[in-house]
Amino acid sequence: MLGFFGIHFFGYPQSLFVHLNRNFKLMAFDHLSPNVSQEEAIKFFKNVVGDRNVLTDPSDLQSWGTDWTRVFEPRPMCIVKPASTEEVSRLLAYCWSNELAVTPSGGRTGLCAGAVATHGEVVINLSRMNRIIDVDAIGLTLTAEAGVTTEALQEAAKSKGLFFPLDLASKGSCQIGGNIATNAGGVKLIRYGGTREQVLGLEVVLANGDVLDMNVALRKNNSGYDLKHLFIGSEGTLGIVTKAVLRLMPKPRNLQLAIMATDEFVKIPEILRKSSLAGVSITAFEFFTEVAHRIVLKHLPGARTPFQELSKFYVLLEVEQPGAEPEIESLLETLFEAGLISDASIATNSTQFKEFWGLRENITESLAAHGQVRKNDISLAIDKLDGFVKSLEALLVTKKPKDMELVLFGHIGDGNLHINYVSPKSRDSQEFHKEARAIEEDVFKLLAKFKGSISAEHGIGLTKKKDLHFTRTPDEVSWMKKTKAVFDPKGILNPGKIFDL
Ligand code: FAD
Ligand code: MLT
Ligand code: ZN
């Protein structure tokens, strides 16, 4: 489960779903002509996975047909929960022959509506495929089915004295299949890389039901194209991930954690530079603003700030300290002397360690409790961050409505900035999104000038598909579409996500 608040799904009138389900064909995609009735299809699915693993109840369709975004209305045909690769293969072969659109789904924590079924799709949810198959403590690999949560993978590695480095606040709910499909980043990317770097082998079921085994999990393998990389970050549009072999590593030793306060954004890249030059082994370098901090203090039960007075910006620095020397203390002294930080606090025990991380990791859920949120997840070269943030602030002086707060945080050590537009819950939702969208477009135009990306880690899904051109050239998009046509020429897998066909 996610943190303190759990997943919040908003409710839609049930009658709407009943109506839409009866008229399933009306919602179908133009490029598909389903040639079975909904009743026949559901009968087949029940035959494959068992009656109780096909959900058609309106409230199930709402909660299992959507993700964390809550922007698009979910309208799936049904939710199907297979228990094996063979079942996934049979389901896809049937959908392929009968031109039924399919949306793969994992823990439904996605932040770009990649797992939202808006057009009568068959949602294939991997939750029941949650077996850890093997932990190889000599080869340092872990083999798991796609529905295992990220946290369960971490625990399995830990139980053998090892470490699985992918780490994100949604780890209790998100699944490795979803992580792979989104190429999730998280808080440890600065040290260990993102999901792509952890995947050694993959098993994927293709749109027509064929099982593609890319499971030869060697650390070195230069024999031709490495096809697994096409599926990593493909957001369920090229195949359904059913199994993965992941890299493990030795547990980091003696982690030290500090929160530092600083008054100017420009100092943050400098803090990073000085920390790297000091030779400390950085395992996380995160940042959040005073506004983000206040919102967490307000909404997270038991949250406390370690500071007497609040500052404009905070950096959370985690380092591994292999020797006895308390490197983080001398680093903080250097940063104070250089005038880069005004206050700092080092976690002195495991409770404080958790508390400090909680102040960063609970931002998303606190924002959801605080107001209506629209999210951007951008990345830039680190040396361009300050110029961009200054231009962003200037832009917002004229553009931002009075009751909208701009909340910045993110994996700043990777050049990844999360921009959140937050308005009171009482605001009309459509108006809020219209206003925030107008600002967002200007922000993306600005970002393009700084040669940044509109998605650092969350993906494109539905929320950003009209903005893909800000980051990718027409040639790149054209080759993406050609790749899609090779693996899924009928376009049954997650249609409408990333780009329209
Ligand atoms: P879902 O939301 O279910 O699906 C995401 C996409 O993957 C969809 O396109 C879906 O069709 C596809 N998919 C799912 N399973 C499969 C499969 N087996 N095969 C093929 N396609 C599949 N993201 C980060 O990158 N970094 C963070 O730090 C981070 N922190 C978060 C914190 C919170 C509190 C929340 C709510 C979200 C956060 N996220 C973060 C976003 C989200 O958790 C990630 O994108 C995660 O990887 C999604 O996994 P999921 O299993 O929930 O996927
Ligand atoms: C995070 O870094 O906490 C996540 O990416 C979630 C978010 O952007 O809200
Ligand atoms: Zn993030």
PDB file of all heavy atoms in Angstrom, residues 303-324:
ATOM      1  N   ALA A 303       4.245  14.377  11.066  1.00  0.00           N
ATOM      2  CA  ALA A 303       5.445  14.951  10.430  1.00  0.00           C
ATOM      3  C   ALA A 303       5.969  16.136  11.226  1.00  0.00           C
ATOM      4  O   ALA A 303       5.197  16.935  11.744  1.00  0.00           O
ATOM      5  CB  ALA A 303       5.110  15.384   9.012  1.00  0.00           C
ATOM      6  N   ARG A 304       7.322  16.211  11.329  1.00  0.00           N
ATOM      7  CA  ARG A 304       7.956  17.338  12.033  1.00  0.00           C
ATOM      8  C   ARG A 304       9.093  17.845  11.167  1.00  0.00           C
ATOM      9  O   ARG A 304       9.769  17.064  10.506  1.00  0.00           O
ATOM     10  CB  ARG A 304       8.584  16.869  13.344  1.00  0.00           C
ATOM     11  CG  ARG A 304       7.590  16.436  14.385  1.00  0.00           C
ATOM     12  CD  ARG A 304       8.311  15.952  15.607  1.00  0.00           C
ATOM     13  NE  ARG A 304       9.149  14.781  15.294  1.00  0.00           N
ATOM     14  CZ  ARG A 304      10.000  14.216  16.136  1.00  0.00           C
ATOM     15  NH1 ARG A 304      10.175  14.710  17.339  1.00  0.00           N
ATOM     16  NH2 ARG A 304      10.699  13.151  15.786  1.00  0.00           N
ATOM     17  N   THR A 305       9.320  19.160  11.232  1.00  0.00           N
ATOM     18  CA  THR A 305      10.488  19.680  10.518  1.00  0.00           C
ATOM     19  C   THR A 305      11.675  19.662  11.483  1.00  0.00           C
ATOM     20  O   THR A 305      11.502  19.928  12.673  1.00  0.00           O
ATOM     21  CB  THR A 305      10.244  21.108   9.983  1.00  0.00           C
ATOM     22  OG1 THR A 305      11.410  21.531   9.276  1.00  0.00           O
ATOM     23  CG2 THR A 305       9.936  22.102  11.089  1.00  0.00           C
ATOM     24  N   PRO A 306      12.870  19.364  10.962  1.00  0.00           N
ATOM     25  CA  PRO A 306      14.021  19.393  11.859  1.00  0.00           C
ATOM     26  C   PRO A 306      14.548  20.818  12.098  1.00  0.00           C
ATOM     27  O   PRO A 306      15.531  20.996  12.798  1.00  0.00           O
ATOM     28  CB  PRO A 306      15.059  18.546  11.119  1.00  0.00           C
ATOM     29  CG  PRO A 306      14.658  18.544   9.701  1.00  0.00           C
ATOM     30  CD  PRO A 306      13.183  18.815   9.637  1.00  0.00           C
ATOM     31  N   PHE A 307      13.898  21.809  11.489  1.00  0.00           N
ATOM     32  CA  PHE A 307      14.445  23.176  11.538  1.00  0.00           C
ATOM     33  C   PHE A 307      13.611  24.115  12.402  1.00  0.00           C
ATOM     34  O   PHE A 307      12.392  23.968  12.505  1.00  0.00           O
ATOM     35  CB  PHE A 307      14.544  23.742  10.114  1.00  0.00           C
ATOM     36  CG  PHE A 307      15.407  22.902   9.220  1.00  0.00           C
ATOM     37  CD1 PHE A 307      14.857  22.113   8.216  1.00  0.00           C
ATOM     38  CD2 PHE A 307      16.784  22.868   9.409  1.00  0.00           C
ATOM     39  CE1 PHE A 307      15.648  21.320   7.412  1.00  0.00           C
ATOM     40  CE2 PHE A 307      17.590  22.072   8.604  1.00  0.00           C
ATOM     41  CZ  PHE A 307      17.019  21.294   7.601  1.00  0.00           C
ATOM     42  N   GLN A 308      14.303  25.135  12.994  1.00  0.00           N
ATOM     43  CA  GLN A 308      13.615  26.175  13.777  1.00  0.00           C
ATOM     44  C   GLN A 308      12.803  27.083  12.864  1.00  0.00           C
ATOM     45  O   GLN A 308      11.677  27.456  13.159  1.00  0.00           O
ATOM     46  CB  GLN A 308      14.650  27.058  14.506  1.00  0.00           C
ATOM     47  CG  GLN A 308      15.541  26.316  15.481  1.00  0.00           C
ATOM     48  CD  GLN A 308      14.839  26.118  16.806  1.00  0.00           C
ATOM     49  OE1 GLN A 308      14.011  26.924  17.192  1.00  0.00           O
ATOM     50  NE2 GLN A 308      15.141  25.015  17.475  1.00  0.00           N
ATOM     51  N   GLU A 309      13.469  27.470  11.762  1.00  0.00           N
ATOM     52  CA  GLU A 309      12.796  28.353  10.795  1.00  0.00           C
ATOM     53  C   GLU A 309      12.816  27.688   9.428  1.00  0.00           C
ATOM     54  O   GLU A 309      13.787  27.006   9.096  1.00  0.00           O
ATOM     55  CB  GLU A 309      13.583  29.665  10.669  1.00  0.00           C
ATOM     56  CG  GLU A 309      13.273  30.640  11.768  1.00  0.00           C
ATOM     57  CD  GLU A 309      14.182  31.860  11.675  1.00  0.00           C
ATOM     58  OE1 GLU A 309      14.614  32.191  10.543  1.00  0.00           O
ATOM     59  OE2 GLU A 309      14.451  32.445  12.728  1.00  0.00           O
ATOM     60  N   LEU A 310      11.785  27.971   8.648  1.00  0.00           N
ATOM     61  CA  LEU A 310      11.755  27.344   7.327  1.00  0.00           C
ATOM     62  C   LEU A 310      12.553  28.168   6.315  1.00  0.00           C
ATOM     63  O   LEU A 310      12.654  29.394   6.430  1.00  0.00           O
ATOM     64  CB  LEU A 310      10.312  27.164   6.865  1.00  0.00           C
ATOM     65  CG  LEU A 310       9.470  26.204   7.714  1.00  0.00           C
ATOM     66  CD1 LEU A 310       8.159  25.870   7.024  1.00  0.00           C
ATOM     67  CD2 LEU A 310      10.228  24.907   8.010  1.00  0.00           C
ATOM     68  N   SER A 311      13.127  27.472   5.335  1.00  0.00           N
ATOM     69  CA  SER A 311      13.902  28.131   4.261  1.00  0.00           C
ATOM     70  C   SER A 311      13.225  27.874   2.926  1.00  0.00           C
ATOM     71  O   SER A 311      12.356  27.009   2.816  1.00  0.00           O
ATOM     72  CB  SER A 311      15.304  27.547   4.191  1.00  0.00           C
ATOM     73  OG  SER A 311      15.961  27.768   5.388  1.00  0.00           O
ATOM     74  N   LYS A 312      13.698  28.592   1.904  1.00  0.00           N
ATOM     75  CA  LYS A 312      13.025  28.473   0.597  1.00  0.00           C
ATOM     76  C   LYS A 312      13.203  27.097  -0.053  1.00  0.00           C
ATOM     77  O   LYS A 312      12.322  26.585  -0.710  1.00  0.00           O
ATOM     78  CB  LYS A 312      13.550  29.558  -0.358  1.00  0.00           C
ATOM     79  CG  LYS A 312      12.781  30.863  -0.245  1.00  0.00           C
ATOM     80  CD  LYS A 312      13.173  31.816  -1.335  1.00  0.00           C
ATOM     81  CE  LYS A 312      12.313  31.616  -2.578  1.00  0.00           C
ATOM     82  NZ  LYS A 312      12.635  32.598  -3.627  1.00  0.00           N
ATOM     83  N   PHE A 313      14.413  26.511   0.156  1.00  0.00           N
ATOM     84  CA  PHE A 313      14.704  25.224  -0.512  1.00  0.00           C
ATOM     85  C   PHE A 313      15.385  24.245   0.442  1.00  0.00           C
ATOM     86  O   PHE A 313      16.133  24.661   1.333  1.00  0.00           O
ATOM     87  CB  PHE A 313      15.639  25.451  -1.713  1.00  0.00           C
ATOM     88  CG  PHE A 313      15.094  26.416  -2.717  1.00  0.00           C
ATOM     89  CD1 PHE A 313      15.538  27.732  -2.745  1.00  0.00           C
ATOM     90  CD2 PHE A 313      14.134  26.027  -3.625  1.00  0.00           C
ATOM     91  CE1 PHE A 313      15.026  28.640  -3.667  1.00  0.00           C
ATOM     92  CE2 PHE A 313      13.615  26.914  -4.557  1.00  0.00           C
ATOM     93  CZ  PHE A 313      14.063  28.226  -4.574  1.00  0.00           C
ATOM     94  N   TYR A 314      15.131  22.964   0.174  1.00  0.00           N
ATOM     95  CA  TYR A 314      15.783  21.909   0.974  1.00  0.00           C
ATOM     96  C   TYR A 314      16.402  20.873   0.046  1.00  0.00           C
ATOM     97  O   TYR A 314      15.854  20.564  -1.012  1.00  0.00           O
ATOM     98  CB  TYR A 314      14.762  21.210   1.875  1.00  0.00           C
ATOM     99  CG  TYR A 314      14.191  22.156   2.912  1.00  0.00           C
ATOM    100  CD1 TYR A 314      12.984  22.808   2.689  1.00  0.00           C
ATOM    101  CD2 TYR A 314      14.901  22.427   4.077  1.00  0.00           C
ATOM    102  CE1 TYR A 314      12.494  23.711   3.610  1.00  0.00           C
ATOM    103  CE2 TYR A 314      14.416  23.328   5.005  1.00  0.00           C
ATOM    104  CZ  TYR A 314      13.210  23.966   4.773  1.00  0.00           C
ATOM    105  OH  TYR A 314      12.740  24.848   5.681  1.00  0.00           O
ATOM    106  N   VAL A 315      17.552  20.350   0.506  1.00  0.00           N
ATOM    107  CA  VAL A 315      18.177  19.236  -0.217  1.00  0.00           C
ATOM    108  C   VAL A 315      18.283  18.064   0.752  1.00  0.00           C
ATOM    109  O   VAL A 315      18.692  18.238   1.898  1.00  0.00           O
ATOM    110  CB  VAL A 315      19.595  19.622  -0.713  1.00  0.00           C
ATOM    111  CG1 VAL A 315      20.331  18.399  -1.237  1.00  0.00           C
ATOM    112  CG2 VAL A 315      19.516  20.692  -1.792  1.00  0.00           C
ATOM    113  N   LEU A 316      17.869  16.904   0.279  1.00  0.00           N
ATOM    114  CA  LEU A 316      18.025  15.682   1.059  1.00  0.00           C
ATOM    115  C   LEU A 316      19.195  14.933   0.443  1.00  0.00           C
ATOM    116  O   LEU A 316      19.137  14.538  -0.726  1.00  0.00           O
ATOM    117  CB  LEU A 316      16.746  14.850   0.963  1.00  0.00           C
ATOM    118  CG  LEU A 316      16.675  13.630   1.862  1.00  0.00           C
ATOM    119  CD1 LEU A 316      16.308  14.037   3.283  1.00  0.00           C
ATOM    120  CD2 LEU A 316      15.609  12.671   1.349  1.00  0.00           C
ATOM    121  N   LEU A 317      20.243  14.764   1.226  1.00  0.00           N
ATOM    122  CA  LEU A 317      21.447  14.109   0.705  1.00  0.00           C
ATOM    123  C   LEU A 317      21.683  12.813   1.467  1.00  0.00           C
ATOM    124  O   LEU A 317      21.794  12.817   2.693  1.00  0.00           O
ATOM    125  CB  LEU A 317      22.657  15.039   0.892  1.00  0.00           C
ATOM    126  CG  LEU A 317      24.021  14.438   0.561  1.00  0.00           C
ATOM    127  CD1 LEU A 317      24.186  14.217  -0.938  1.00  0.00           C
ATOM    128  CD2 LEU A 317      25.152  15.330   1.069  1.00  0.00           C
ATOM    129  N   GLU A 318      21.743  11.710   0.718  1.00  0.00           N
ATOM    130  CA  GLU A 318      22.086  10.432   1.345  1.00  0.00           C
ATOM    131  C   GLU A 318      23.420   9.982   0.780  1.00  0.00           C
ATOM    132  O   GLU A 318      23.648  10.050  -0.428  1.00  0.00           O
ATOM    133  CB  GLU A 318      21.010   9.380   1.033  1.00  0.00           C
ATOM    134  CG  GLU A 318      21.169   8.106   1.854  1.00  0.00           C
ATOM    135  CD  GLU A 318      20.239   7.003   1.354  1.00  0.00           C
ATOM    136  OE1 GLU A 318      20.525   6.418   0.286  1.00  0.00           O
ATOM    137  OE2 GLU A 318      19.235   6.726   2.029  1.00  0.00           O
ATOM    138  N   VAL A 319      24.321   9.557   1.674  1.00  0.00           N
ATOM    139  CA  VAL A 319      25.622   9.071   1.201  1.00  0.00           C
ATOM    140  C   VAL A 319      25.930   7.734   1.868  1.00  0.00           C
ATOM    141  O   VAL A 319      25.440   7.442   2.957  1.00  0.00           O
ATOM    142  CB  VAL A 319      26.769  10.076   1.502  1.00  0.00           C
ATOM    143  CG1 VAL A 319      26.518  11.427   0.864  1.00  0.00           C
ATOM    144  CG2 VAL A 319      27.028  10.217   2.993  1.00  0.00           C
ATOM    145  N   GLU A 320      26.753   6.963   1.184  1.00  0.00           N
ATOM    146  CA  GLU A 320      27.227   5.712   1.778  1.00  0.00           C
ATOM    147  C   GLU A 320      28.581   6.003   2.384  1.00  0.00           C
ATOM    148  O   GLU A 320      29.436   6.617   1.735  1.00  0.00           O
ATOM    149  CB  GLU A 320      27.362   4.648   0.676  1.00  0.00           C
ATOM    150  CG  GLU A 320      27.715   3.292   1.202  1.00  0.00           C
ATOM    151  CD  GLU A 320      27.863   2.260   0.083  1.00  0.00           C
ATOM    152  OE1 GLU A 320      27.738   2.626  -1.103  1.00  0.00           O
ATOM    153  OE2 GLU A 320      28.130   1.094   0.407  1.00  0.00           O
ATOM    154  N   GLN A 321      28.750   5.596   3.615  1.00  0.00           N
ATOM    155  CA  GLN A 321      30.020   5.897   4.273  1.00  0.00           C
ATOM    156  C   GLN A 321      30.720   4.598   4.638  1.00  0.00           C
ATOM    157  O   GLN A 321      30.484   4.026   5.697  1.00  0.00           O
ATOM    158  CB  GLN A 321      29.732   6.700   5.532  1.00  0.00           C
ATOM    159  CG  GLN A 321      30.988   7.166   6.223  1.00  0.00           C
ATOM    160  CD  GLN A 321      30.624   7.798   7.532  1.00  0.00           C
ATOM    161  OE1 GLN A 321      30.067   8.881   7.565  1.00  0.00           O
ATOM    162  NE2 GLN A 321      30.917   7.107   8.623  1.00  0.00           N
ATOM    163  N   PRO A 322      31.566   4.118   3.731  1.00  0.00           N
ATOM    164  CA  PRO A 322      32.154   2.802   3.950  1.00  0.00           C
ATOM    165  C   PRO A 322      33.104   2.768   5.148  1.00  0.00           C
ATOM    166  O   PRO A 322      33.143   1.811   5.883  1.00  0.00           O
ATOM    167  CB  PRO A 322      32.918   2.510   2.655  1.00  0.00           C
ATOM    168  CG  PRO A 322      32.638   3.650   1.733  1.00  0.00           C
ATOM    169  CD  PRO A 322      32.036   4.754   2.500  1.00  0.00           C
ATOM    170  N   GLY A 323      33.847   3.846   5.386  1.00  0.00           N
ATOM    171  CA  GLY A 323      34.821   3.845   6.488  1.00  0.00           C
ATOM    172  C   GLY A 323      34.218   4.397   7.771  1.00  0.00           C
ATOM    173  O   GLY A 323      33.037   4.721   7.844  1.00  0.00           O
ATOM    174  N   ALA A 324      35.066   4.548   8.801  1.00  0.00           N
ATOM    175  CA  ALA A 324      34.590   5.051  10.094  1.00  0.00           C
ATOM    176  C   ALA A 324      34.453   6.578  10.073  1.00  0.00           C
ATOM    177  O   ALA A 324      33.704   7.162  10.847  1.00  0.00           O
ATOM    178  CB  ALA A 324      35.556   4.643  11.195  1.00  0.00           C
TER     179      ALA A 324
END
